Amino acid sequence: MTSPLLSVPGAVAPFEGAVDQGVPWHFGDPFAEQRSAARSVAVFDRSHRAVLAVPGDDRLTWLHSLTSQHFEALGEDRGTEALVLDVQGRVEHHAVAANVGGAVYLDTEAATAPALLSYLTKMVFWSKVEPRDATAELAVLSAVGPEVAGLLARLGVPVPDGSGVAALPGGGFVRRMPWPGHDAADLVVPRGSLVEWWGRLTDGGARPAGSWAFEALRVEALRPRLGVDTDERTIPHEVNWIGSAVHLDKGCYRGQETVSKVHNVGRPPRRMLLLHLDGSREVQPETGDPVLVGDRVVGRVGSVALHHELGPIALALVKRSVPVETELLVGAEDRVVQAAVDPDSVPPDTPGLGREAARNLGR
């Protein structure tokens, strides 16, 4: 879908080939947009995401049996994240969930939504659930920044705490999020009211911002994106999804054996790291490019972003055996640049520490 917000004054469309087609790339100053999200509040059009609805009395127990998340423990008006894994524990789908108004809503990447809906539909059997595509009904806006709560309050919007969810007047819901900034909220609004809600949020003090700024903040927050920071071999432990999207104290689901085995060993084969890129050249690596030590490939590049404070940065899946202090080269052909690992992005390697940290996050 092409967002009607591409027609608002100042909106700049993404370049051809950009991952976030159909929504504004920026509104004239992507660095100022990032600063607003870090210091006050900005609003992002994320209406290109797909939304699936799962109504029905069995929705929580049914999703509990199919995904990595403990949906049986998810109360009414609460949100979470979840994965669908294959039999070898590799990530197939990621979704952000909200249990509100008698349904669980799953917003996910538009490219993978049809496959996710097809899988869910095939797994209904006798359960009292009716999964459907609700993308034509609902659209996602994200407000990010330390003034999010104040913005919502000024607009008369319920302000849920933690991972809470609240119904919006007129339809849709608001869900508090722990990323991409220190405080954020997704407003999943009726698609026909998208322009109206955008106007209310911007008139209320939120700076209009585009996907460039959102992605830079997401990369800084070390939050992976399905299909960009993951490949066909990715397991949850490699990309910081243990705890946020994988609950370690729940029953059997597809791929659980791998999750349990790697959790007990504590050492996945790769780890997602934040790389600081050399900005002296006017080139950047692209998603899927190799990460090199000399001539040896040791990983793959995921998201690449220009951050308002950190400069050019990227997320990359790198072999765990590569020392943190190693000088890296990233990119291919004529876009190879030097890179250094941000030491603060390195997850714990000690098995005991890793298990305890994940256990605490999963509670």
Side-chain angles (χ1 to χ4, degrees):
M1 293 187 178
T2 298
S3 172
L5 298 177
L6 277 169
S7 299
V8 304
V12 176
F15 61 90
E16 184 177 353
V19 66
D20 290 305
Q21 294 294 321
V23 294
W25 186 33
H26 63 81
F27 287 84
D29 192 341
F31 293 138
E33 294 164 23
Q34 293 177 47
R35 287 193 292 271
S36 292
R39 302 171 187 174
S40 54
V41 61
V43 59
F44 301 86
D45 178 8
R46 302 178 67 221
S47 61
H48 58 325
R49 284 180 66 78
V51 181
L52 307 182
V54 184
D57 293 343
D58 295 339
R59 63 189 184 280
L60 296 179
T61 55
W62 181 70
L63 287 168
H64 184 90
S65 69
L66 297 178
T67 73
S68 61
Q69 191 53 269
H70 201 310
F71 274 96
E72 289 182 348
L74 187 67
E76 183 70 14
D77 297 333
R78 307 303 296 176
T80 190
E81 298 178 54
L83 306 176
V84 173
L85 309 178
D86 69 11
V87 293
Q88 281 140 350
R90 297 172 297 201
V91 178
E92 287 191 344
H93 300 285
H94 170 264
V96 185
N99 181 33
V100 59
V104 172
Y105 294 91
L106 305 169
D107 60 274
T108 188
E109 299 288 342
T112 59
L116 176 57
L117 181 59
S118 175
Y119 171 70
L120 294 176
T121 302
K122 290 175 184 176
M123 299 303 292
V124 170
F125 300 116
W126 55 85
S127 297
K128 296 178 181 178
V129 291
E130 298 179 357
R132 73 174 193 277
D133 188 348
T135 307
E137 306 166 32
L138 297 168
V140 181
L141 296 172
S142 293
V144 180
E147 298 179 9
V148 162
L151 170 67
L152 298 181
R154 288 194 298 274
L155 297 178
V157 173
V159 185
D161 60 356
S163 59
V165 179
L168 288 171
F173 57 89
V174 56
R175 173 185 57 210
R176 289 296 281 274
M177 292 291 294
W179 59 274
H182 295 297
D183 196 5
D186 290 338
L187 287 87
V188 183
V189 304
R191 188 165 288 274
S193 302
L194 178 63
V195 175
E196 177 187 347
W197 272 103
W198 180 265
R200 291 182 64 189
L201 291 162
T202 54
D203 290 346
R207 180 172 189 139
S211 59
W212 174 335
F214 187 91
E215 288 297 279
L217 297 172
R218 178 184 62 80
V219 171
E220 178 192 17
L222 298 174
R223 294 287 181 163
R225 182 170 180 180
L226 184 74
V228 180
D229 302 302
T230 67
D231 59 17
E232 69 282 354
R233 298 184 292 120
T234 301
I235 59 175
H237 314 69
E238 296 178 324
V239 289
N240 300 338
W241 268 331
I242 299 296
S244 61
V246 177
H247 200 292
L248 295 170
D249 298 321
K250 60 163 286 183
C252 184
Y253 58 94
R254 190 174 72 178
Q256 183 194 19
E257 294 81 3
T258 297
V259 170
S260 178
K261 179 179 179 181
V262 177
H263 168 62
N264 288 327
V265 173
R267 295 176 181 239
R270 300 178 296 178
R271 53 193 180 186
M272 187 180 69
L273 302 173
L274 178 65
L275 303 184
H276 294 274
L277 308 179
D278 180 3
S280 61
R281 297 187 61 202
E282 293 184 0
V283 295
Q284 290 183 348
E286 297 177 357
T287 299
D289 279 351
V291 178
L292 303 156
V293 175
D295 295 329
R296 180 167 62 99
V297 176
V298 296
R300 72 176 290 278
V301 175
S303 300
V304 181
L306 285 174
H307 191 272
H308 69 109
E309 290 181 338
L310 302 178
I313 54 177
L315 294 177
L317 277 173
V318 180
K319 289 182 179 179
R320 193 189 58 80
S321 58
V322 176
V324 175
E325 65 276 7
T326 303
E327 293 186 5
L328 304 172
L329 296 174
V330 296
E333 300 173 352
D334 60 350
R335 55 181 182 273
V336 177
V337 299
Q338 292 182 320
V341 175
D342 186 321
D344 291 335
S345 73
V346 181
D349 256 353
T350 305
L353 177 60
R355 288 200 300 273
E356 184 61 28
R359 187 178 297 114
N360 290 336
L361 282 170
R363 285 175 181 167

